[in-house]
Amino acid sequence: MDKQRLIIFDTTLRDGEQSPGAAMTKEEKLRVAKSLEKLKVDVIEAGFATSSPGDFSAVKSIAEAIKDCRVCSLARTMPSDIERAAEALVDAVAPRIHTFIATSPIHMDYKLQMTPEQVFDQAIGAIKIARNLVDDVEFSLEDGSRSEFEFMCRIVEAAINAGAGTINIPDTVGYGTPGEYGEMIGRVINNVPNSDKAVFSVHCHNDLGLAVANSLSAVLHGARQVECTINGLGERAGNASLEEIVMAIRTRPDIYPVEVGIDSTQIVPTSRLVSTVTGFPVQPNKAVVGANAFAHESGIHQDGVLKYRETYEIMRAEDVGWNTNRIVLGKLSGRAAFSARLEDLGISFDNKADLNRAFTRFKELADKKREIHDEDLQALVSDIQIGESAEDLALVAMDVSSKTGRAPHAELTLRSHGNDHSVSAEGDGPVDAVFRAIEKLADSGTELKLYSVNAITTGTDSQGEVTVRLEKGGRIVNGQGADTDILVASAKAYIHALNLLGNPDRVHPQLGGV
Ligand code: KIV
Ligand code: ZN
C-alpha cells in the first residue's frame, strides 16, 4: 500500500486548555511544547494569541523555543486577531495562522448573526490578510459537520484560492458518526475542484465518545491531518486523543493508508506531564496511557501473555513509553546529574535562583525517598514553577493529629503578604481539618469541586500528587501539590488553587462568541 504522511496537529495547548480548570501558565505550556517536540508532532497549536496577554506571551515563547515543529496560533477572522497571531509567531521557524469562522446555519443565525454571504466574505478576507503575513494558513469551518454541503464546498474552494493550505472541517459539537462524517469529508474532497491544492484536516470532539472513530473514518476518506490532544483533553468531553489515533494507525497498517512521524516512546511521558501540569488524572482504563492499559488481571490472560505475548497484547507497552520508569537519580546524585536530567526532560529555569531551589528540594526529597524517578522531577519542578509571589499565600509549617475516637486537628503556619499567621481547625478527616484551617485565613468563599490523590510512582514511599479544583464566581481552577506526605501535598494543592484564583493570567482562554 502506498503510504501517505498523516500530519499530527496537536492542540493540547489550545483546545486542551479550554477544559474547565486546565489553564496552564506560560512555563507549563513551554514544558508541554518541548515534550510535544520530543514526541515529534508535526504542528503544535500553542494557543489563541489574542485571547489574553498571558496566552500571547505563551505562544510567543513557544514560537521562539520550538525548532522542529510548526507552531500555530488560533485567530478569529478579524484582522486584529490575525495580526496579533502573526506578531506572536514572528520568531517561529515554521509559523502557521489558523483562522476560523462558523459555517453552520445554527451558528451563523444565532451566534454570529451573519448571513452566509457575510461569513463567506469575512473568511476569504481573513485568509488573504493571513497569507500576507505568513505562508502557512489553515482555515476551519467551525461546526463543519452541521454545515450545508453546497455552502461548505463553495467556501472551501474560495478559501483554497485565497491561499489556505489546510482546510479543517471540525465536528465541533461531537455530533458526527463515523460512517457519515468520514463520508462527508470524502464528498467535500471529491466535489471541490481545487481540493488537490490543500491538505484536508479533521478536528473531532468527543461528546458521544466518537472523536477517535470519526477522525479515523475521515482518514480513510482522504483527510491527511488530524487535530488531537494528549489524553483527549479539550473543551467539554474533549478532543480525539493523540495516543489513540497514533497507535491505531501504527497497530493497523493493513487498514490505514497513512504513516505518522511520531516517536511513540514519548507518549506515556508526555501524557504524564500533561496530567501533572493540568491536574487532570488519566483514568486507569484509558486506552494506551491508562495505568491498566497493559495490566492483565485474569489468570487466563496472564497465562496466555506469559506463553506468547501477542495472545492478549496488540501493542508493546515499551513502544508507547511504559517501563521507561527508570531510577534516574538518588541521594548521591550531584548538581551536574540533576541539571543534565532536567535538560533531558526539556526543563529549564528562567533564573539560577529557581534552579537552586529545585536542587535543594531534590536533595530534601532524596532524603525521604531513595529512588527519584522522572515523574518525581516533573512534580518537583511543577511545584517550583508555581512560583509564588510575595503576596501569595504559602505554607510555612503544619502539624496534623489524627487519633481514633478524636476529631482530627490541624495547626498551620501560613505566610501571606510576607507575614506569618497561625491557624488551626478540626475537621471530619485530616484533609478536611487542613482545608478548614487554611480557610480561616483565606476566607475565600470558594466551592471545592474535586479532591484527588494519585501516587506519582509505585511503592509506599511514592510522592502523592494532589489535585484540588475550586470554583468561585464561575471560574474554575485546578491546584496541584506533591509531597511524600499527602497531607502536606493536600495543603499545597489547596493553597495553589487559591493563588490561581487570584491570578488573572489563568483565566479560561476562550473568548466569547465571534
Ligand atoms: O471545535 C472547533 O471547531 C474548534 C475550532 C476553533 C477549530 O476548536
Ligand atoms: Zn475544538
Side-chain angles (χ1 to χ4, degrees), residues 14 18 45 47-52 55-56 59 72-90 96-101 111-112 122-123 125-127 129-131 133-134 137-138 142 509-514:
R14 199 277 297 168
Q18 288 174 204
E45 187 162 50
F48 190 172
T50 205
S51 67
S52 69
D55 223 30
F56 175 85
V59 175
C72 169
S73 172
L74 188 67
R76 292 171 298 180
T77 47
M78 290 148 175
S80 56
D81 267 40
I82 294 169
E83 281 151 18
R84 193 82 173 135
E87 205 187 319
L89 293 170
V90 73
R96 172 179 292 188
I97 293 179
H98 174 193
T99 187
F100 74 101
I101 191 163
K111 185 182 79 166
L112 301 178
Q122 188 158 314
I127 294 165
I129 297 174
R131 269 307 303 266
L133 298 167
V134 293
V137 173
E138 170 169 340
E142 192 192 7
Q510 195 184 37
L511 294 175
V514 181

Side-chain angles (χ1 to χ4, degrees), residues 25-31 34 57-58 60-62 64-65 342 346-358 381 384-387:
T25 62
K26 183 172 97 176
E27 289 71 27
E28 289 165 344
K29 282 186 144 199
L30 203 50
R31 272 168 71 201
K34 287 181 181 164
S57 145
K60 193 161 170 45
S61 310
I62 293 168
E64 281 162 12
L342 291 187
I347 297 169
S348 59
F349 289 101
D350 286 345
N351 56 62
K352 215 166 164 209
D354 278 350
L355 176 64
N356 290 343
R357 272 176 73 210
V381 169
I384 300 283
Q385 288 185 331
I386 284 169

Side-chain angles (χ1 to χ4, degrees), residues 169-419:
I169 304 180
D171 184 25
T172 302
V173 291
Y175 182 72
T177 60
E180 168 207 42
Y181 180 72
E183 206 178 285
M184 186 262 289
I185 299 293
R187 273 177 66 215
V188 175
I189 297 175
N190 290 332
N191 265 270
V192 170
N194 53 358
S195 64
D196 59 319
K197 308 271 183 314
V199 171
F200 279 75
S201 167
V202 288
H203 172 115
C204 297
H205 280 271
N206 207 27
D207 300 68
L208 293 173
L210 294 172
V212 168
N214 286 341
S215 307
L216 291 172
S217 167
V219 168
L220 290 177
H221 285 87
R224 289 297 174 264
Q225 173 175 289
V226 169
E227 303 196 355
C228 44
T229 58
I230 301 293
N231 301 338
L233 208 63
E235 185 89 41
R236 305 183 310 280
N239 290 66
S241 120
L242 179 147
E243 55 278 8
E244 293 175 23
I245 298 279
V246 166
M247 291 319 290
I249 283 163
R250 285 268 164 86
T251 307
R252 296 303 308 268
D254 53 327
I255 299 291
Y256 299 106
V258 290
E259 57 193 9
V260 291
I262 295 291
D263 175 356
S264 63
T265 62
Q266 295 301 318
I267 285 179
V268 168
T270 311
S271 157
R272 287 209 174 133
L273 174 63
V274 169
S275 169
T276 300
V277 158
T278 57
F280 278 50
V282 175
Q283 73 191 58
N285 59 329
K286 165 85 178 61
V288 185
V289 293
N292 290 352
F294 293 88
H296 299 277
E297 180 69 17
S298 97
I300 295 174
H301 286 209
Q302 285 172 354
D303 180 53
V305 168
L306 286 174
K307 286 182 176 140
Y308 187 62
R309 177 151 76 174
E310 275 133 72
T311 49
Y312 285 101
E313 277 189 7
I314 58 166
M315 295 172 263
R316 297 184 332 155
E318 52 273 37
D319 288 349
V320 296
W322 285 104
N323 314 338
T324 49
N325 192 10
R326 314 181 264 135
I327 301 160
V328 286
L329 297 170
K331 202 173 163 158
L332 299 177
S333 310
R335 186 180 288 267
F338 177 71
S339 302
R341 193 63 208 147
L342 291 187
E343 208 178 303
D344 258 16
L345 292 172
I347 297 169
S348 59
F349 289 101
D350 286 345
N351 56 62
K352 215 166 164 209
D354 278 350
L355 176 64
N356 290 343
R357 272 176 73 210
F359 186 64
T360 309
R361 294 278 276 276
F362 158 70
K363 282 291 185 186
E364 285 165 5
L365 183 62
D367 268 341
K368 294 192 227 162
K369 190 174 184 295
R370 212 162 37 90
E371 302 167 343
I372 308 286
H373 300 248
D374 285 348
E375 292 80 355
D376 291 312
L377 292 179
Q378 299 276 21
L380 182 148
V381 169
S382 284
D383 249 23
I384 300 283
Q385 288 185 331
I386 284 169
E388 297 118 7
S389 79
E391 296 82 53
D392 283 344
L393 197 59
L395 175 69
V396 179
M398 62 187 269
D399 183 353
V400 183
S401 61
S402 178
K403 273 194 186 151
T404 324
R406 274 202 6 217
H409 179 83
E411 279 182 35
L412 275 71
T413 307
L414 300 173
R415 189 162 296 152
S416 170
H417 294 88
N419 298 320

